[in-house]
Amino acid sequence: MLTVYVVIPNYNGVRLLAECIHSVQSGSDYFLHIVVVDDASDDASMRILQQFLRDITVIQLPENRRFAAAANVGIEYALTHGADYIFLLNSDAQVSEGCLLQLLDFMNANPRVAACQPLLVDKYSPEYIQSAGVRCSFTGRGWDNLMGARVECCPHDTEEAKKIALAPLLRTVPSPFPIVGCTGGAVFFRAEALIRTLEFEQVFDESLGMYAEDLDWAFRFQQRYAATQLPFWCVPCATVWHSGSESTRVLGTGWKIALTEKNAVQMILRYFPAMYVGVAICVFLGTALMMALVQTFRGQPKVALSTLQGVGRGLVDGLRMLKRKRAPFSYRRFYELVDWNRILPPKRTTEGRVI
């Protein structure tokens, strides 16, 4: 029997943590090993986890190390204990009934796929999509594919889907479709793909913390295994309800913006071909300055300062990184992976839509 581990990183997620664990336990008849990695929460998370100790494994980190590090700890634990598949799930998400079985069926039918993800929908407005994969813009900023679109906007009967194997459970509309990368909020990994990554480095780059760690892993995997065609897929008939913005609520808007801007610089310097790095950095700096000015005029000087701090940290870290050997994408692969239609991520409204 295949061994499936569910890894749930948690930081001050007491509000929704119990719901997340209950949904995993009740949403699948398949036997699962659940591992919660508590990232030094200072709320009542550990008191909630005490209720589940008979059924789950809890790993408590002594200090807060951010999402990427907490996810790495859980993934390494699962691999050490013989996982065949690992489902990484945010603690503010809830799994729908049958979701994990649908993802498992898809991966079993398609052994060349490295990872897939369910369709993340807004918990409070489930007719709207929160994530159907991750994308990267020409300014290095990442965002969620189809964010804010209605569920019925998912691709139907794509040419790529006609060429892959689909179990009877997945012969539905909308059908699975290929994506640039899977969101770290809910991603179903093949253990073999993670083991191949660990031969060279960490699964998620802990220096990024969060907000780009999933896109970075997707890019690194495709760099090393360029021969693997269409390694990442979204399986929209599998659904996860995601609260969203929980990390922003806990850590604050300014912190999120600073980290997002810092990581955008890293993405440009790590993966963009040499002739595009200068142009992309200039466009990035222009848009960052524009955002800071708008934030200032709106009476948000602290947020504007966070934007500029993130840019500064990204450039300093980038200069250090340039001392190491870069391994950018080929021009052809770069054109395939980078989204040229936007330079700024879309803005989500309170109703789940984007503007």
Side-chain angles (χ1 to χ4, degrees):
M1 178 181 289
L2 293 172
T3 304
V4 180
Y5 273 76
V6 180
V7 174
I8 305 174
N10 173 69
Y11 176 65
N12 287 355
V14 64
R15 196 168 69 93
L16 298 170
L17 180 58
E19 292 181 15
C20 174
I21 296 173
H22 279 306
S23 74
V24 173
Q25 291 176 328
S26 61
S28 175
D29 295 330
Y30 195 85
F31 181 72
L32 302 168
H33 301 270
I34 301 175
V35 180
V36 178
V37 182
D38 187 74
D39 196 15
S41 296
D42 53 18
D43 63 0
S45 290
M46 287 307 299
R47 190 166 69 241
I48 294 293
L49 293 173
Q50 292 291 331
Q51 305 170 19
F52 299 94
L53 285 181
R54 291 186 177 181
D55 305 312
I56 69 175
T57 299
V58 177
I59 302 173
Q60 190 173 13
L61 301 183
E63 60 182 5
N64 183 254
R65 295 171 56 191
R66 306 304 184 203
F67 178 86
N72 282 343
V73 169
I75 287 170
E76 289 173 16
Y77 176 90
L79 292 175
T80 301
H81 288 78
D84 295 300
Y85 293 102
I86 298 173
F87 185 49
L88 180 64
L89 182 68
N90 272 7
S91 62
D92 60 352
Q94 289 178 258
V95 178
S96 64
E97 186 175 356
C99 171
L100 288 167
L101 183 59
Q102 290 166 325
L103 297 174
L104 182 62
D105 281 352
F106 178 79
M107 295 295 281
N108 284 338
N110 297 280
R112 291 179 63 83
V113 174
C116 68
Q117 73 157 78
L119 187 70
L120 272 69
V121 300
D122 192 286
K123 179 179 179 180
Y124 306 107
S125 300
E127 66 273 23
Y128 292 109
I129 298 170
Q130 277 204 358
S131 178
V134 289
R135 307 173 74 166
C136 183
S137 74
F138 186 65
T139 57
R141 298 180 178 96
W143 66 84
D144 292 293
N145 185 38
L146 297 181
M147 184 179 75
R150 298 187 71 89
V151 171
E152 55 266 27
C153 293
C154 282
H156 289 63
D157 298 322
T158 63
E159 289 299 318
E160 293 88 352
K162 295 176 182 178
K163 299 175 183 177
I164 62 172
L166 292 179
L169 190 63
L170 297 172
R171 298 184 192 280
T172 59
V173 175
S175 57
F177 53 90
I179 52 180
V180 170
C182 299
T183 177
V187 52
F188 199 82
F189 292 107
R190 189 181 304 279
E192 180 186 350
L194 298 176
I195 292 170
R196 292 169 77 181
T197 304
L198 287 170
E199 291 176 1
F200 301 96
E201 56 216 337
Q202 300 167 320
V203 174
F204 292 124
D205 186 340
E206 296 179 11
S207 71
L208 298 175
M210 54 202 301
Y211 302 125
E213 80 295 333
D214 43 14
L215 187 60
D216 175 74
W217 179 79
F219 276 17
R220 277 188 287 123
F221 187 87
Q222 294 185 73
Q223 265 187 333
R224 292 192 180 279
Y225 310 108
T228 303
Q229 297 297 314
L230 305 176
F232 309 120
W233 287 71
C234 178
V235 183
C237 60
T239 304
V240 164
W241 297 289
H242 187 227
S243 174
S245 301
E246 280 298 298
S247 57
T248 304
R249 183 184 66 82
V250 172
L251 299 169
T253 301
W255 189 91
K256 175 180 178 179
I257 289 175
L259 195 55
T260 300
E261 295 300 286
K262 178 187 80 72
N263 291 344
V265 179
Q266 296 292 306
M267 296 300 291
I268 293 173
L269 296 177
R270 292 181 185 192
Y271 301 110
F272 283 31
M275 70 175 291
Y276 290 115
V277 169
V279 176
I281 288 291
C282 288
V283 176
F284 168 80
L285 291 174
T287 54
L289 181 60
M290 178 186 69
M291 286 193 300
L293 290 173
V294 170
Q295 290 156 356
T296 301
F297 286 132
R298 287 180 176 176
Q300 300 174 307
K302 291 184 178 179
V303 176
L305 181 59
S306 295
T307 299
L308 298 178
Q309 287 175 337
V311 172
R313 286 178 57 195
L315 291 174
V316 170
D317 291 348
L319 290 174
R320 293 173 183 163
M321 192 188 70
L322 288 177
K323 297 178 181 179
R324 305 196 303 266
K325 185 178 180 181
R326 293 176 68 243
F329 283 114
S330 66
Y331 292 109
R332 179 178 177 181
R333 196 74 181 118
F334 176 70
Y335 295 141
E336 293 172 347
L337 295 176
V338 171
D339 190 338
W340 300 84
N341 297 325
R342 280 184 180 265
I343 57 174
L344 291 173
K347 181 179 178 181
R348 185 186 289 117
T349 68
T350 54
E351 295 81 20
R353 293 169 292 174
V354 296
I355 57 175

